[in-house]
Amino acid sequence: MKSCLMKFCRLVLLALTLPLNVMEITGLCGAYKRFFPFLAYNVTFSYNAKMHRIKRDLFRDVGRFANTDGSLRLLEIGCGSGANFSFYPCGCTVTCTDPNPHFHRYLQLSMDANQHLTYDAFIVARGEDMKEVQDESVDVVVCTLVLCSVSNVQQVLQEIRRILRTGGAFFFLEHVVSDPSSWTFFFQHVLEPLWYYLGDGCRITRATWKDLEAAGFSELHLKQIEAPNVTSMIRPHIMGFSIK
Ligand SMILES: C[S@@+](CC[C@H](N)C(=O)[O-])C[C@H]1O[C@@H](n2cnc3c(N)ncnc32)[C@H](O)[C@@H]1O
Ligand SMILES: *[C@@H]1O[C@H](CO)[C@@H](O)[C@H](O)[C@H]1NC(C)=O
Ligand SMILES: *[C@@H]1O[C@H](CO)[C@@H](O)[C@H](O)[C@H]1NC(C)=O
Ligand SMILES: CC(=O)N[C@H]1CO[C@H](CO)[C@@H](O)[C@@H]1O
């Protein structure tokens, strides 16, 4: 009963967002691509304030993957406005990648505020295809709130395995689908078609931990958590790291 209602409500939302779908196909969403970084930059401050302790715990282990000479090459996929720089250890060389070039202004502000790091290029690329980055050329890859937005999670994870050196690590913090018995699960499925457009391609019903389990890393350290004080649609999160 609940599941029929869920499917029905989702259909209604799908129908309501049909004009947005047409706009996407005909390329009229270009203006939103420009506007989204501004929106994301604005929203990211309140999210990051709430996630401060969680991110500190998550990124505490990054330093473990430095080389014997202390150097550490870190690549961030879907870096957006650069919300994680303050957590990276001194001496890190950071490469930023994002398919949306309009983040650059905001990224620069975060770089200016975090001068303990060295910044390599900003590469405009999708995580599914990072051909500019050589095989086994980085020690750490980071994704936060990115695997919800990519078109092919498995393909991104295989690209990450390709560019990581053996023994390197992939750190992630992602919101995921809720427990199927919860009302959050219900509303995530109903609202997803609309959320997809407002969130620039963000999907709120992904069971991303399944992709991480299937990706073929040699170790996976994963925790399921509820993000404190974040809207229930994106409260369930996974965090942790996998090692190549
Ligand atoms: C919600 S934002 C998160 C930004 C940033 N990582 C943070 O934690 O604030 C999602 C980001 O994923 C990027 N993105 C969308 N599709 C992508 C893809 N296929 N590959 C890599 N990044 C993608 C978007 O441009 C956006 O910067
Ligand atoms: C976000 O936007 C609101 C409304 O325009 C504004 O009051 C607030 O200062 C902005 N926050 C940041 C961090 O830019
Ligand atoms: C969440 O909200 C409660 C009540 O407003 C507050 O006491 C707590 O510090 C907040 N936690 C975080 C991590 O922001
Ligand atoms: C752009 C952005 O969200 N930067 C945040 C990165 O994280 C630090 C520490 O939590 C915040 O102070 C920044 O505002």
Side-chain angles (χ1 to χ4, degrees):
M1 177 62 202
K2 192 171 160 190
S3 125
C4 285
L5 181 65
M6 185 175 92
K7 282 180 186 142
F8 175 75
C9 293
R10 186 182 164 98
L11 268 178
V12 172
L13 255 281
L14 264 175
L16 289 175
T17 52
L18 210 59
L20 293 173
N21 192 298
V22 172
M23 278 172 70
E24 187 184 34
I25 292 166
T26 54
L28 279 173
C29 282
Y32 193 60
K33 284 268 172 221
R34 279 178 168 275
F35 177 66
F36 184 73
F38 167 74
L39 192 71
Y41 186 68
N42 192 297
V43 170
T44 195
F45 285 101
S46 80
Y47 176 84
N48 280 302
K50 292 167 188 163
M51 300 301 274
H52 186 82
R53 276 186 45 200
I54 288 168
K55 284 196 173 181
R56 204 185 49 201
D57 289 349
L58 171 68
F59 292 125
R60 185 171 287 149
D61 286 318
V62 166
R64 276 178 46 192
F65 299 93
N67 298 289
T68 43
D69 65 358
S71 66
L72 200 159
R73 298 155 299 174
L74 184 151
L75 182 139
E76 190 158 338
I77 298 178
C79 60
S81 49
N84 303 316
F85 295 159
S86 64
F87 300 96
Y88 300 155
C90 278
C92 233
T93 302
V94 179
T95 305
C96 297
T97 71
D98 201 290
N100 187 342
H102 304 301
F103 272 108
H104 194 252
R105 258 185 68 200
Y106 305 100
L107 189 61
Q108 191 60 50
L109 294 175
S110 294
M111 288 174 171
D112 293 345
N114 290 279
Q115 305 213 351
H116 65 293
L117 308 174
T118 305
Y119 298 99
D120 202 0
F122 171 47
I123 303 174
V124 177
R126 298 163 70 241
E128 287 89 345
D129 179 10
M130 298 184 284
K131 56 181 171 308
E132 293 91 341
V133 186
Q134 285 182 358
D135 295 3
E136 317 219 326
S137 63
V138 298
D139 303 302
V140 167
V141 173
V142 173
C143 276
T144 60
L145 308 184
V146 170
L147 296 178
C148 55
S149 302
V150 305
S151 16
N152 187 331
V153 179
Q154 260 323 316
Q155 210 173 320
V156 174
L157 293 174
Q158 293 321 311
E159 272 291 88
I160 293 171
R161 281 184 60 208
R162 178 182 70 75
I163 66 176
L164 274 177
R165 67 160 164 86
T166 305
F170 168 50
F171 283 77
F172 52 86
L173 175 67
E174 297 285 340
H175 63 76
V176 292
V177 68
S178 187
D179 185 287
S181 66
S182 68
W183 279 103
T184 300
F185 179 91
F186 178 92
F187 285 110
Q188 281 177 327
H189 283 81
V190 170
L191 294 179
E192 186 169 65
L194 181 62
W195 196 283
Y196 174 83
Y197 290 104
L198 297 181
D200 189 31
C202 168
R203 304 215 169 256
I204 46 182
T205 63
R206 281 197 172 152
T208 310
W209 65 89
K210 292 186 183 160
D211 292 297
L212 283 159
E213 284 161 4
F217 284 94
S218 71
E219 283 178 41
L220 174 59
H221 302 264
L222 184 146
K223 264 201 300 195
Q224 305 252 4
I225 58 159
E226 299 283 310
N229 302 347
V230 169
T231 169
S232 59
M233 287 304 103
I234 57 163
R235 195 170 299 152
H237 275 58
I238 54 169
M239 64 183 279
F241 59 95
S242 9
I243 301 180
K244 178 172 167 183

